[in-house]
């Protein structure tokens, strides 16, 4: 069975003390993380080491970076490279979150570079894709997302793509309280899986984890995650509240 993943995205929230308190509360909850169930915490850079320390005895829980540079090293003030992440044992990194695309002008081509660098360091990218409202209103979301996948991922070999996690996040559902319906999520996830199958074959497509993101909460996670092609969620706001995120972890298949 492909991995079922609950991924928290703290974005630019919490002080170190607040973050440690939140994480401690979540990891002390009593849930079963079987071989196929994983939890990621995408945490601000300054806390990656301290939070890794907190979860080091836990299986199937992984501290994740929210971003990385598209450059390897050198005179890029303020940037964080994938080799820096690897040197502190980070094995997962969000790539192409819509906020990065929108506020930091990250194009599909730049994201392809980030994906390559992550994979070269054996860091699994959590590649985010998803359409804005105008595209959804024009009913061209399938083509839009397909182009994002093609331009940032489809140069990869079959062996490389196996290490990529995909997060479908319709921009109109992020932080808005307006979730895609479970059916809308399923429809897009099935589309993404079929596009991957066309490119890499059914076996790889079947084993690719595709997460849904956009206003996932404790109260709607079970319904969304129950869809056959939804393999968990990437969660912003609700991941900042321990009880909510614990409920979301418990909703994984
Ligand atoms: P949200 O954010 O859960 O607050 O909508 C999701 C995300 O941006 O990853």
């Amino acid at each position: 069975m492909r991995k079922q993943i609950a991924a928290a995205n703290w974005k630019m929230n919490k002080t170190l003390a607040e973050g440690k308190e939140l994480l401690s509360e979540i990891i002390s909850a009593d849930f079963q993380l079987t071989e196929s169930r994983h939890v990621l915490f995408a945490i601000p850079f300054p806390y990656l080491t301290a939070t890794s320390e907190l979860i080091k005895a836990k299986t199937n829980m992984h501290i994740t970076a929210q971003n990385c540079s598209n450059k390897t090293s050198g005179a890029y003030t303020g940037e964080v490279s994938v080799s820096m992440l690897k040197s502190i044992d980070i094995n997962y990194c969000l790539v192409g979150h819509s906020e990065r695309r929108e506020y930091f002008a990250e194009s599909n081509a730049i994201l392809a570079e980030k994906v390559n660098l992550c994979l070269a360091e054996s860091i699994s990218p959590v590649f985010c894709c998803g359409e804005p409202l105008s595209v959804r209103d024009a009913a061209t979301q399938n083509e839009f997302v397909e182009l994002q996948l093609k331009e940032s991922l489809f140069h990869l070999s079959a062996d490389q793509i196996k290490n990529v996690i995909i997060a479908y996040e319709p921009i109109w559902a992020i932080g808005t309280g307006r979730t895609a319906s479970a059916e809308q999520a399923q429809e897009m996830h099935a589309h993404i899986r079929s596009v991957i199958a066309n490119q890499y074959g059914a076996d790889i497509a079947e084993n690719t984890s595709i997460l849904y993101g956009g206003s996932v909460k404790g109260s709607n996670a079970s319904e969304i995650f129950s869809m056959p092609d939804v393999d968990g969620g990437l969660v912003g706001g609700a991941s900042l509240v321990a009880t909510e995120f614990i409920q979301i972890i418990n909703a994984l298949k």
Side-chain angles (χ1 to χ4, degrees), residues 62-77:
H62 315 276
I63 299 297
T64 299
Q66 293 180 7
N67 182 33
C68 62
S69 176
N70 64 323
K71 309 291 184 194
T72 49
S73 67
Y76 300 102
T77 303

Side-chain angles (χ1 to χ4, degrees), residues 9 11 97-99 169 173-177 213-216 234-238:
N9 178 10
K11 308 191 180 185
H97 189 280
S98 63
E99 288 148 19
E169 300 201 299
I174 295 177
T176 59
S215 300
V216 174
L234 177 55
V235 187

